[in-house]
């Protein structure tokens, strides 16, 4: 960690009063936007003066329906994906401690916005803000470290128009747009670098804007038919003036009067007025959708829900790239600092964060291959299999599901039975059916034994209270598992059945015995 973040400046962000200043200086970049000003802003962006282009792009994303839709879809596609802390060395206690520290840090992360103090969220909000780099080329967060018993941090998003890039490295200028910005401390800022798709999108938006403006002008000019009246009255006569007045009352604009006849006709512009405009608007909307989502909206909306997604290979590639971009940025600029602070500056991270993209394989085919490998005796890593299917391995002490859960419960029940005090009846004196019934009851009550054993493993009072709350939340599930147990029922059925049969065996019901009993 740098000296800045070990000093009292650690909780003094550089963007403290940015919100108030920005409210006083903001303006609408769309109002006077023309092809010439757009070209100038794009050239300035490449020269490092990113402010005007960033402001324009923000306004386009906020106000254009197509851009807003596809950008939101791509951003949320990554923000809603599950994330996990992956171990570099599976069986290393040190790696597990790194994983625990990172999970605690990211779960307690606070994310805000330096210009909108109402915005507060967690990891999902952080991912949505970082995804802005794919549109604007850069997404910047100020890191406000909050050391204590457990390291915490607040990541404050700072829009790109608060920076300049004239020297090849972003520098903070603030809302007032200073000529020379402030150098960014590597330990105090996180910069996500993406594709910058808004450069091409803004060009498409401009063509669409011009076509929509022409289309609107055409509709205003020719949307309402004109009126052509003819009369045999002479021009300048009272009859002519009365006829013109009548036409003007019939229609306020687009009125024409001529002599030689008494007739009123409607003048229509025809049905082809939208032909020059709609194709261009549709073409630009389709281009924007392809740039952002990798396919048109009709393809993007289709999925079969079982195997590979039908939204197209291109969209899958984009989502995977987005997940890797966010994961790599966090691991390089944030994870390393967390491990250095908690475990020491010379410690290399043995765990890393990974955002899981949507699996692009057919899960059914993958499972068949895994089963075939198992039959052939080909070993596979459990961690690799879990990662491939977008799942995580359970931590030590977690309740397991399926057959593993039954084996876990049986193991706990056996341990509880072994630790139970002996009864007054010796084992060799207990009838066999009594012993079988006792074992059956212990088996069915295994979920309760397992819950009690987990509570007894608590390290302190706080841990004990946490485990008791967890038990209270799972009590219905535990009692249902006990009621579903079949061992006691099976044992009782067997014991009663045996007793019934044994009750019949001592008496031989034959004609001779029956005769003897009835005729003394």
């Amino acid at each position: 960690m740098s000296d800045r973040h070990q000093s009292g400046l650690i909780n003094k962000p550089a963007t403290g009063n940015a919100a108030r200043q920005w409210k006083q200086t903001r303006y609408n970049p769309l109002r006077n936007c023309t092809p010439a000003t757009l070209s100038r802003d794009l050239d300035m962006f490449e020269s490092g003066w990113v402010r005007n282009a960033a402001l324009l792009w923000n306004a386009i994303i906020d106000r254009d329906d197509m851009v807003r839709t596809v950008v939101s879809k791509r951003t949320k596609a990554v923000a809603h994906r599950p994330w996990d802390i992956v171990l570099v060395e599976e069986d290393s206690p040190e790696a597990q401690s790194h994983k625990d520290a990172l999970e605690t840090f990211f779960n307690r992360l606070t994310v805000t916005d330096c210009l909108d103090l109402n915005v507060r969220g967690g990891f999902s909000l952080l991912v949505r803000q970082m995804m802005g780099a794919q549109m604007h080329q850069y997404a910047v967060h100020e890191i406000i470290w909050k050391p204590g018993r457990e390291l915490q941090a607040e990541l404050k998003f700072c829009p790109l128009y608060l920076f300049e890039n004239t020297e090849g490295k972003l520098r903070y200028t603030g809302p007032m747009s200073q000529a020379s910005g402030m150098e960014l401390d590597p330990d105090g800022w996180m910069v996500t670098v993406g594709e910058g798709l808004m450069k091409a999108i803004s060009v498409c938006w401009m063509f669409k804007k011009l076509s929509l403006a022409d289309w609107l002008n055409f509709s205003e000019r020719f949307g309402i038919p004109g009126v052509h009246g003819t009369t045999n009255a002479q021009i300048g006569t009272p009859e002519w003036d009365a006829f013109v007045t009548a036409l003007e009352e019939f229609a306020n604009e687009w009125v024409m009067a001529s002599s030689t006849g008494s007739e009123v006709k409607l003048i229509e512009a025809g049905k082809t007025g939208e032909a020059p405009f709609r194709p261009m608007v549709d073409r630009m909307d389709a281009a924007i959708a392809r740039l952002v989502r990798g396919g048109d909206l009709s393809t993007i909306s289709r999925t079969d829900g079982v195997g590979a997604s039908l939204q197209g290979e291109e969209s899958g590639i984009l989502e995977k790239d987005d997940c890797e971009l966010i994961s790599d940025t966090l691991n390089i600029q944030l994870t390393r600092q967390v491990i250095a602070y908690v475990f020491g500056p010379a410690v290399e991270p043995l765990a890393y964060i990974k955002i899981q993209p949507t699996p692009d394989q057919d899960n059914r085919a993958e499972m068949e291959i895994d089963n075939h490998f198992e039959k052939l005796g080909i070993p596979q890593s459990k961690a690799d299999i879990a990662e491939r299917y977008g799942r995580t391995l359970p931590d030590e002490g977690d309740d397991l599901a399926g057959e593993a859960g039954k084996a876990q419960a049986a193991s706990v029940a056996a341990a509880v039975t072994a630790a139970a005090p002996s009864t007054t009846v010796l084992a060799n004196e207990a009838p066999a059916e009594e012993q079988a019934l006792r074992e059956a009851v212990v088996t069915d009550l295994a979920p309760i034994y397992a819950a009690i054993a987990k509570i007894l493993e608590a390290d302190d009072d706080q841990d004990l209270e946490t485990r008791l709350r967890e038990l209270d939340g799972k009590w219905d599930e535990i009692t249902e598992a006990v009621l579903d147990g079949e061992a006691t029922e099976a044992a009782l059925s067997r014991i009663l059945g045996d007793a019934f049969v044994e009750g019949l065996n001592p008496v031989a019901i034959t004609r001779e015995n029956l005769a003897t009993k009835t005729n003394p």
Side-chain angles (χ1 to χ4, degrees), residues 240-520:
W240 171 266
D241 294 338
F243 183 69
V244 171
T245 301
L247 289 179
E248 290 176 344
E249 291 179 355
F250 183 77
N252 293 328
E253 298 180 358
W254 202 0
V255 174
M256 180 177 69
S258 61
S259 59
T260 70
S262 298
E263 187 178 3
V264 176
K265 298 180 180 180
L266 297 180
I267 305 174
E268 298 188 63
K271 304 298 183 181
T272 60
E274 67 179 23
F277 314 117
R278 180 184 289 274
M280 178 62 74
V281 173
D282 292 343
R283 169 73 172 81
M284 292 302 102
D285 276 343
I288 291 171
R290 286 194 298 271
L291 281 168
V292 180
R293 298 286 286 158
D296 58 38
L297 294 181
S298 61
T299 303
I300 290 169
S301 63
R302 297 200 304 267
T303 57
D304 66 0
V306 177
S309 172
L310 293 181
Q311 69 178 1
E313 183 179 354
E314 291 81 3
S315 296
I317 292 174
L318 292 179
E319 183 186 297
K320 184 177 180 180
D321 180 71
D322 292 339
C323 291
E324 290 181 354
L325 170 66
I326 303 301
S327 300
D328 290 346
T329 302
L330 291 173
N331 287 320
I332 294 174
Q333 302 187 47
L334 204 58
T335 294
R336 290 181 176 274
Q337 296 195 65
V338 174
I339 296 301
Y341 183 91
V342 177
F343 299 98
V347 177
E348 285 293 322
L350 297 179
Y352 59 92
I353 189 170
K354 180 178 179 62
I355 300 177
Q356 303 286 354
T358 302
D360 56 1
Q361 77 273 10
D362 187 337
N363 287 340
R364 188 174 301 167
E366 289 288 334
M367 287 188 287
E368 290 180 359
I369 294 174
D370 290 338
N371 292 333
H372 190 60
F373 273 29
E374 184 178 357
K375 292 178 182 179
L376 295 176
I378 301 176
Q380 296 190 81
S381 168
K382 292 181 179 180
D384 290 342
I385 296 176
E387 182 176 353
R388 192 185 328 137
Y389 293 111
R391 299 294 187 266
T392 58
L393 293 175
D395 293 330
E396 185 178 355
D398 287 349
D399 292 333
L400 304 181
E403 295 299 325
K406 294 179 181 178
Q408 182 188 45
S411 176
V412 173
V416 172
T417 303
S422 61
T423 61
T424 55
V425 181
L426 298 178
N428 57 0
E429 295 177 353
E433 59 269 19
E434 181 180 341
Q435 183 66 22
L437 180 59
R438 182 184 296 111
E439 293 175 355
V441 171
V442 169
T443 299
D444 284 343
L445 294 179
I448 295 180
Y449 294 152
I452 295 174
K454 189 172 183 179
I455 291 174
L456 296 178
E457 294 174 355
D459 297 330
D460 50 36
D461 292 342
Q462 184 177 359
D463 189 19
L464 176 61
E465 182 179 356
T466 301
R467 291 172 185 259
L468 287 173
R469 291 183 183 276
E470 292 178 355
L471 173 61
D472 182 55
K474 295 182 179 179
W475 187 248
D476 291 342
E477 178 183 342
I478 293 173
T479 54
E480 184 177 354
V482 171
L483 294 175
D484 289 342
E486 300 177 352
T488 303
E489 181 181 355
L492 286 173
S493 299
R494 185 174 61 256
I495 292 171
L496 293 176
D498 293 343
F500 178 74
V501 173
E502 290 176 0
L504 294 178
N505 283 340
V507 180
I509 304 178
T510 63
R511 286 181 179 273
E512 293 76 7
N513 288 337
L514 187 60
T516 302
K517 291 181 179 295
T518 55
N519 297 304

